[in-house]
Structures are given as C-alpha cells and as structure tokens.
Amino acid sequence: MACAIAVSSAATLTVVLLPAGPAAAAAPYRGANTAAVQDDFNGDGYRDLAVGAPGAANGVVDAAGAVVVLYGSATGVSASRRTVVTQATSGIPGTAEEWDQFGTAVASADLDRDGYADLLIGTPDESAGTMAGVGSLTVVWGGSAGLEGGASISPPTGLDEGCGFAAGLAVGDVTGDGAPDVSVTGNCGGTTYTGPFTRSGAPVRRSFVNALGTNRGVVMGDVDGDGRAERFWLPGPTDGDVSGPVHLEEDNGTYTELPLADGLSGQIGDINGDGYGDLVTGVPYDASLTSGSTPAHRGGEIQVLYGSAQGIRPDQKPKTINQDTAGVPGTGEDGDEFGMSLSVGDTNGDTYADVLVGAPGEAVGSARGAGRATLLRGSASGLTTSGSLSCTQNTSGVPGSAERDDRFGAATHLVDVTKDGRAESMVGTPGENADGLLWTARGSSTGPAAGGSTAIGGTEAGLKYRYSDIEFGAALPGARSTI
C-alpha cells in the first residue's frame, strides 16, 4: 500500500570496513558524469547511497563521525551490503577526534572521470591546530572493489575558527566538459572547484566566493538547457530576509538576486518535463522559530521556480506550497519545519520529477518533533498537490512508531537504487533512540510504497555510540538546511 493520500588524538581506534557488496561490472562507463555514474561507487550498474552519522563514536572517541555507504541492487539497499568510512579508515586522511562530526554533509560525483563515483564528505567541525570548527572536505575514491583510499581537498586559505567549511556540498557540470564541478558552503563564504580532480584531490581551479558573505547553501543544475549547470547561492538569513535570499551566479562571476524568491536549501530537477531544470527551495522557519521580516508560512513552505530557454529570470514569481495548500496532507502548525529537507526525483516512472519534503518538527499526535515526509507530484503543468502522499512512523506499513524528537524527515533523498526507473524514497530519522534510522520505500507506479518498506538503524549498520547519539540518517545527498 502507498503512504497516506491527502483529501541531511591519538587513541586506539576501531576501523569498520565491510565488503563492497555485489560484484562490480567489468567495464564501467567512462564518459560524461551521468546520473548513474555519479552515484555508482563500485561500477556494478546500480546507484548507491551515502548516509552520514556525525555522532558515531570511533572506539573511545565520542562523536568522531562516520559515513555508511549502502550498495544498490535489484532488491534495494540493506545493512548487509555496506562500507563504513571514518577518519580512522586506512587510506582516509585526518584523525578521528572527539566532536569532529565527520559525515555532517555527503555528496557523490565521478571527480576523476574513471567511471566510478567518488564520495565527498564534509566535516565542518574539524579543528585546525588550536582553532575549532574550521572544517575540512574529504574525497574517498570509488573503484571496482568499492570505496578505497582518499584525499583531502584543500580549503581556501585564511579560514578561521568557526568557519564551518564544508557544511554543505553540491555537484554539477558548470563548464559543460563532462567533469563534475564542486561547490562548498561555510560560515566564512563559499568555495568552488573546477573539475576534473587528480588523485591527490587537486582540481583544475579553486575559487573563493565571499561577495555574498556567509554562504550556507548552494544548488547546482541546468535550468536553461544549454548542457551546463547554473549555480545558485543561498546565503541564509539576513537582516532584511530571515527566509534567506537566492542569488544566481552569472558566467562573468557576478551575482543576480532573485528578489521574489527565498530559500535555505534547494535542489534542481525537471518537474514539468519540458527539458529544463526547475529550482525548488525550502523555507522551513516560520514566525514561531525566528524573528524579522518575511518568515515562512506557518509550519514552513517550499518554493518552485521553473526553468526555460532563458533560465530563471529575476522577475519570476515562485510557486509556493505549504501544508495549508489545498491537497497537501496535514495542517501548517508552529515549528513543523516543512521544507527543512527536500529532494527531487521521479518516483513512479512517469518522467516528471516529484519532490519529497521533510518536516522534522511535525507533531504526530502528542509526540512533538516526531516528523513527517510529504511527496508532491510533478506533472506537465508543474508541481501539483493532486495525489500527494504523506508518511510518518505511524503510517501503516512504515516500521517503528512516531516518538517525540525522532525528527523523521530531517534528511530526504530520492534515488533509484534498484535500476527499475523509479526512485526510492529515503528518509533520515536521526533522533530515533540513540541510533538514528534510515527509512526506505520502493518506487512504484503510484509512488513510494509503504508496504514492504524497510528501516536500517545505526548500530545495525555497524556504528557505535559512546555518550552522544549516533544520528545515523542526519545527512543524505538531498538538500537540507544547515542553519
């Protein structure tokens, strides 16, 4: 059955590294950075999933952090086919230290164009010498045996304490040469890297973006159909706009504000099937959670800007959807955080991208902060609320039960790991007990199917906790607010 339909020093360290799962394909595709190559770490033809667990312990080192890679297959992902990566894993740079929170952000792309996806891991709480919270970015290389070996990607010079480098990551081909380019956010500005990358982690070029000040979110995707990704920066709340402005980076390096749009997180996908990417942003903070001008609708909202041959123009008014929009399950209530996370992908194989929206602050009955995930449908006329689906951990067929502060929907991701043309729905629930949880629902002709859905917990995925919660599922490649 489907979900209910409406009427994101030196100590003895333990390394956990399991086999890469299914046997790899003999000759992986070595061309442009297609969607399949972007997510396939072992070249077996199935897309894989990286799940961040920033609170995981490494031996006696609390909250050092970890990333679990779950390998795709015809039957989906499971805890039995995984690789666990930490800063104590052989070949991975750095040292697992207390409260590093390695795995706060994750992304993937074939950085060196060898036909295998590579894993990007952001650690914004990483210290540099005596300075806390400077941040670091790590790449782990894909290959026929799965992930093995890695390198540090150099941050811009002059980062200071609290800069939080690599709190957010995005990938896309800005130059149109088939090599992925990488954008990185942080409290002290953004950084862009032009691919391809060498095995030492060196890009063709690195640029520091500080014209907008703090850059807490970034989105990349082709919205004008020219085969090159546009880059949208989301600086975060400002004095005049607590919902956060949206800036388009122009080819000449200048920035154009989209004055009618807001967003703290975002993704791009073709929602109306016209061949142009559409920008979806999340605006989760309502007046109950923030002060200042332009808060979100009560409970939060998302906004949609449609691409065209002219791209997205500054005078375009976004389509806004919230939980009080007709056809959307639920009701907008203070602190729901609808739009805290979102992902874009085709869940039913109709060629229109759908949008999965997380509302981790949603109360379910008396359980405050239990969380909810809502799927909105793509169509020829754009994003529609017709046939919207909504799931909580109290939905029939969903494992577990809704409990206070589970935060189901804190991270969301749509990705086809079964290679059947329909994206699976992945929902992170980092507050589930001390473990955290990843919920997965198979794609079907009607969208995510709660019946037969599965849940994987942090300890089941091979992780350990000491004092802090593991927070497995806190980070997925889909967009989420880091603010």
Side-chain angles (χ1 to χ4, degrees):
M1 64 177 288
C3 297
I5 301 179
V7 184
S8 159
S9 50
T12 301
L13 302 174
T14 301
V15 177
V16 184
L17 186 61
L18 276 76
Y29 177 69
R30 284 181 162 76
N33 198 55
T34 64
V37 172
Q38 177 173 322
D39 290 324
D40 186 2
F41 297 115
N42 61 357
D44 66 353
Y46 291 95
R47 298 175 75 171
D48 306 314
L49 177 69
V51 185
N58 198 291
V60 297
V61 183
D62 195 28
V67 175
V68 179
V69 171
L70 303 172
Y71 290 92
S73 72
T75 57
V77 295
S78 73
S80 64
R81 298 187 305 274
R82 70 179 189 262
T83 296
V84 179
V85 181
T86 75
Q87 286 183 296
T89 300
S90 177
I92 305 304
T95 302
E97 298 169 313
E98 195 166 77
W99 291 103
D100 273 353
Q101 299 197 91
F102 180 80
T104 296
V106 292
S108 65
D110 182 11
L111 297 186
D112 57 357
R113 290 198 294 188
D114 67 350
Y116 300 98
D118 307 306
L119 173 62
L120 287 161
I121 302 173
T123 312
D125 289 322
E126 180 92 50
S127 297
T130 60
M131 294 189 299
V134 174
S136 69
L137 178 60
T138 303
V139 56
V140 186
W141 302 111
S144 61
L147 292 160
E148 187 175 9
S152 292
I153 295 180
S154 264
T157 57
L159 291 185
D160 207 342
E161 186 164 289
C163 277
F165 172 74
L169 307 170
V171 296
D173 184 5
V174 174
T175 59
D177 63 355
D181 307 306
V182 178
S183 301
V184 182
T185 68
N187 295 328
C188 298
T191 310
T192 64
Y193 298 87
T194 302
F197 290 68
T198 68
R199 278 295 178 117
S200 68
V204 171
R205 183 172 62 255
R206 182 189 72 193
S207 301
F208 183 47
V209 180
N210 62 1
L212 303 175
T214 296
N215 275 308
R216 289 175 172 162
V218 61
V219 192
M220 298 173 72
D222 183 6
V223 298
D224 59 10
D226 66 353
R228 299 183 300 156
E230 279 67 53
R231 187 184 280 119
F232 296 85
W233 293 100
L234 310 175
T238 66
D239 290 341
D241 184 358
V242 297
S243 293
V246 179
H247 294 269
L248 168 64
E249 183 176 329
E250 304 286 359
D251 290 341
N252 62 7
T254 61
Y255 304 90
T256 298
E257 184 174 0
L258 307 182
L260 304 179
D262 297 293
L264 303 180
S265 62
Q267 270 204 332
I268 291 172
D270 188 2
I271 292 169
N272 57 8
D274 64 357
Y276 303 104
D278 307 309
L279 173 64
V280 186
T281 60
V283 191
Y285 295 146
D286 60 19
S288 73
L289 298 174
T290 188
S291 59
S293 61
T294 67
H297 180 88
R298 186 183 184 191
E301 65 187 52
I302 65 167
Q303 298 184 3
V304 186
L305 289 162
Y306 294 100
S308 69
Q310 293 75 43
I312 293 175
R313 301 182 306 274
D315 62 350
Q316 185 178 157
K317 183 178 180 179
K319 178 175 185 175
T320 300
I321 295 177
N322 56 64
Q323 290 184 100
D324 292 319
T325 302
V328 178
T331 302
E333 299 168 315
D334 287 350
D336 283 345
E337 299 176 318
F338 182 82
M340 176 63 74
S341 67
L342 60 89
S343 187
V344 181
D346 181 5
T347 63
N348 59 1
D350 66 355
T351 73
Y352 300 109
D354 308 310
V355 180
L356 182 63
V357 185
E362 176 90 17
V364 179
S366 61
R368 297 175 57 188
R372 178 190 295 270
T374 300
L375 185 87
L376 305 172
R377 306 283 194 175
S379 73
S381 59
L383 193 62
T384 175
T385 62
S386 177
S388 299
L389 307 176
S390 177
C391 286
T392 73
Q393 286 187 290
N394 281 356
T395 299
S396 178
V398 176
S401 59
E403 300 168 309
R404 180 167 181 160
D405 295 329
D406 277 349
R407 295 189 63 78
F408 182 84
T412 56
H413 189 45
L414 294 174
V415 58
D416 179 11
V417 296
T418 60
K419 207 165 58 172
D420 66 355
R422 297 163 178 165
E424 277 64 58
S425 296
M426 314 287 189
V427 178
T429 312
E432 177 80 13
N433 303 322
D435 277 35
L437 185 77
L438 176 74
W439 176 70
T440 301
R442 286 287 296 265
S444 73
S445 60
T446 57
S453 63
T454 61
I456 301 172
T459 53
E460 182 185 2
L463 303 176
K464 308 290 184 184
Y465 65 86
R466 185 166 169 79
Y467 301 116
S468 66
D469 291 349
I470 293 173
E471 295 190 312
F472 180 68
L476 297 171
R480 64 189 176 87
S481 174
T482 59
I483 300 168

